[in-house]
Amino acid sequence: MNGTAASPLARLPSVDQVLQSQTGRLAVAEYGHRQAVAAIRHELDGLRAAIRTGTSGEAGAEAVAHSAYQGLVGAALPRARRVFNLTGTVLHTNLGRALLPEEAVEAAAAAMRSPVALEYDLSTGSRGERDTIVRDLLVQLTGAEDATIVNNNAAAVLIVLNTLAFGKESIVSRGELIEIGGAFRMPDIMARAGTRLVEIGTTNRTHLKDYEAAIGADTGLLMKVHTSNYRIEGFTTAVPAADLAALARRHGVPLVDDLGSGTLVDLSQYGIGREPTVADAVRAGADLVTFSGDKLLGGPQAGFIVGRRDLVARVNKNPMKRAMRLDKIRLAALEATLKLYLDPERLAERLPTLRLLRRPVGEIEALAARLLPALAQAVGPEFDVSTIACMSQVGSGSLPQETLRSAALAVSPLDPRASGQVLSDIAARFRSLPVPVIGRIADGAFMLDLRCLEDEERFRAGLARLEGAA
Ligand SMILES: *Cc1c(COP(=O)(O)O)cnc(C)c1O
């Protein structure tokens, strides 16, 4: 030794030495030998690189084990982990859209744990059809002759176009050539479905005579698309579904109505804006209607196709159907969700989507007032925290113009010269909590819209952690 100490590289502990340390043994006990070794190697590699570039000195076995253990803890957190959605958007596509009712959660869990009568007819003891689990409910709730179900509404539109108009033309108004978030564009879906898009009318006005002029020997179907996520206003004309249905019938071509969100009940009775119901579309005479399971309906991701029995039978025979089918977990959740609609009086308390959409603003304001002191304490003295009135949105392209009066806690830097970085930093601190809190930055503040905050206790526990970390 005598002054000629080994180089820092040579002084680094071996993998074995780190494994033998107290935290090293803990890492093995919790994550297994293989993952612990990989994490320790990763740490040691990083340290060697840092020593070579002179950015770090040295580290003992316990310190290396500690960093490796932290890495393992971080990697073990689920990527799809629960968060608080305080964005003010109730059906947030990036945060998983509808929250399922407890009844659906229980049904899904039971279907995961035990064998279920999925394609099995319990009355006869013979093979059954998986879609019959929800078909009768859908027929009952929509007034349609028949119903079938696929993975999501994008799939529903794709398979309907492919079944009814493959190699033929599909006629759509230019005002309805929608793009829904996540690259669902009607013209692209049509191309993949193997149907030729025939655009008619103009962006703001399409008349019945435009449809009539476009119908010919090659027409596969007429399509009506609900402009879920935008409105064309001003000098506009769109043809009512009933007139379109009559025209389609006269020419012997089917009318398909893609409702998108679609809802099974008139939401105006719950004080939310009016969105066309599936039953309305069926009654207006559409031959097939398509809609989503996880938007306003408030269930799991799914795509419904309801309408004429002969057309539903053709969809079911399409080989694509097998590639789009639902698994037992979702079917169980869906059945439980749809059953709640049989009791409309209690729907609003049992269906989280509806409960959150119609949550009284007074209740949200009271929650904001209760939480304000704890939040102010947690973010520290450099920030001002206040309760402000705000507007929540429905989300998922549903009822784009409907906004709901709500209340938010607004966190803003006291220093008026503070940069936008300060807000990004505070947002990042909230995102790094054990249950990440997702808010939004608007008007120079980090805003937490409390409409969707139901687990107040857990949120408070998170605030305490935030304070500790500051
Ligand atoms: C949302 C929407 C779709 C896509 O539905 P997903 O269930 O998200 O696949 C299709 N068409 C319209 C009109 C929509 O609003």
Side-chain angles (χ1 to χ4, degrees):
M1 305 300 133
N2 293 343
T4 50
S7 78
L9 277 178
R11 277 200 308 267
L12 279 181
S14 68
V15 172
D16 261 335
Q17 284 167 332
V18 181
L19 282 170
Q20 292 312 318
S21 70
Q22 197 179 348
T23 306
R25 287 199 298 271
L26 180 67
V28 174
E30 286 183 18
Y31 297 100
H33 189 261
R34 179 199 290 248
Q35 292 198 90
V37 168
I40 291 166
R41 288 222 167 98
H42 180 76
E43 276 314 312
L44 288 173
D45 286 349
L47 276 168
R48 266 185 221 108
I51 288 170
R52 281 198 200 96
T53 57
T55 48
S56 173
E58 50 193 288
E62 182 56 38
V64 174
H66 184 77
S67 306
Y69 182 75
Q70 292 302 323
L72 286 167
V73 170
L77 285 173
R79 291 285 290 272
R81 64 183 191 266
R82 68 172 290 175
V83 300
F84 281 112
N85 171 13
L86 305 190
T87 60
T89 300
V90 177
L91 292 167
H92 200 300
T93 298
N94 305 142
L95 302 179
R97 288 192 183 163
L99 307 182
L100 297 201
E102 271 318 304
E103 290 81 353
V105 174
E106 275 169 32
M112 284 192 268
R113 291 202 181 94
S114 323
V116 283
L118 182 66
E119 295 180 353
Y120 189 81
D121 185 336
L122 286 170
S123 58
T124 61
S126 56
R127 191 182 185 286
E129 243 313 310
R130 75 170 57 202
D131 291 350
T132 52
I133 293 174
V134 292
R135 190 219 286 140
D136 296 345
L137 277 166
L138 282 169
V139 164
Q140 190 180 345
L141 293 166
T142 64
E145 270 177 24
D146 204 353
T148 190
I149 176 163
V150 288
N151 186 47
N152 57 17
N153 189 39
V157 172
L158 180 66
I159 196 171
V160 163
L161 291 170
N162 180 266
T163 304
L164 304 185
F166 184 76
K168 295 184 176 170
E169 295 174 346
S170 296
I171 301 173
V172 191
S173 159
R174 288 197 171 87
E176 298 177 357
L177 286 173
I178 58 162
E179 171 177 314
I180 304 288
F184 176 91
R185 298 178 124 191
M186 200 46 89
D188 299 342
I189 294 284
M190 293 226 165
R192 291 294 170 145
T195 181
R196 287 192 302 283
L197 166 64
V198 175
E199 302 176 27
I200 56 158
T202 60
T203 306
N204 56 329
R205 284 164 71 88
T206 302
H207 307 274
L208 192 67
K209 62 177 193 289
D210 295 324
Y211 286 93
E212 188 143 33
I215 296 177
D218 284 343
T219 303
L221 56 83
L222 302 188
M223 177 130 196
K224 184 170 173 59
V225 186
H226 181 50
T227 54
S228 325
N229 52 2
Y230 64 98
R231 291 282 178 273
I232 295 178
E233 284 187 354
F235 184 54
T236 63
T237 302
V239 180
D243 298 353
L244 215 46
L247 178 74
R249 196 145 306 139
R250 273 206 305 284
H251 289 270
V253 292
L255 170 67
V256 174
D257 193 346
D258 177 22
L259 276 188
S261 196
T263 152
L264 297 172
V265 287
D266 177 2
L267 291 176
S268 58
Q269 69 183 300
Y270 301 105
I272 306 164
R274 175 146 172 90
E275 181 83 352
T277 69
V278 181
D280 289 341
V282 169
R283 213 175 302 119
D287 296 288
L288 287 182
V289 180
T290 57
F291 56 104
S292 281
D294 57 352
K295 294 185 182 173
L296 283 171
L297 193 144
Q301 180 186 303
F304 301 96
I305 302 163
V306 305
R308 255 168 60 189
R309 188 171 293 121
D310 59 326
L311 300 183
V312 170
R314 280 173 62 192
V315 169
N316 281 332
K317 284 207 203 81
N318 187 326
M320 275 188 180
K321 177 77 194 317
R322 177 63 176 75
M324 300 174 172
R325 79 178 184 188
L326 267 71
D327 70 298
K328 61 181 178 181
I329 305 168
R330 265 193 294 161
L331 268 172
L334 208 47
E335 180 188 13
T337 307
L338 291 175
K339 279 191 172 148
L340 298 184
Y341 279 88
L342 299 175
D343 180 5
E345 272 103 73
R346 277 186 293 173
L347 187 63
E349 352 161 342
R350 294 160 90 190
L351 197 71
T353 299
L354 207 45
R355 186 173 71 229
L356 294 174
L357 286 175
R358 68 194 296 265
R359 193 172 183 188
V361 63
E363 190 184 312
I364 307 171
E365 284 164 354
L367 176 61
R370 275 204 304 283
L371 286 172
L372 187 139
L375 182 68
Q377 168 111 25
V379 295
E382 295 98 77
F383 292 94
D384 171 67
V385 179
S386 56
T387 60
I388 58 164
C390 68
M391 290 297 199
S392 311
Q393 296 180 342
V394 179
S396 274
S398 310
L399 295 162
Q401 283 165 330
E402 207 63 40
T403 48
L404 311 157
R405 281 180 56 220
S406 187
L409 286 165
V411 180
S412 45
L414 277 181
D415 180 355
R417 290 157 311 172
S419 68
Q421 187 61 40
V422 175
L423 287 176
S424 312
D425 288 347
I426 191 91
R429 272 172 67 196
F430 276 88
R431 283 200 309 276
S432 66
L433 287 171
V435 180
V437 173
I438 319 290
R440 71 193 154 91
I441 293 173
D443 306 329
F446 175 58
M447 298 234 293
L448 302 173
D449 181 330
L450 300 183
R451 171 172 297 277
C452 297
L453 177 62
E454 293 194 299
D455 191 348
E456 183 177 344
E457 281 323 301
R458 197 182 284 264
F459 180 75
R460 280 183 187 277
L463 289 183
R465 293 284 290 260
L466 194 76
E467 197 177 345

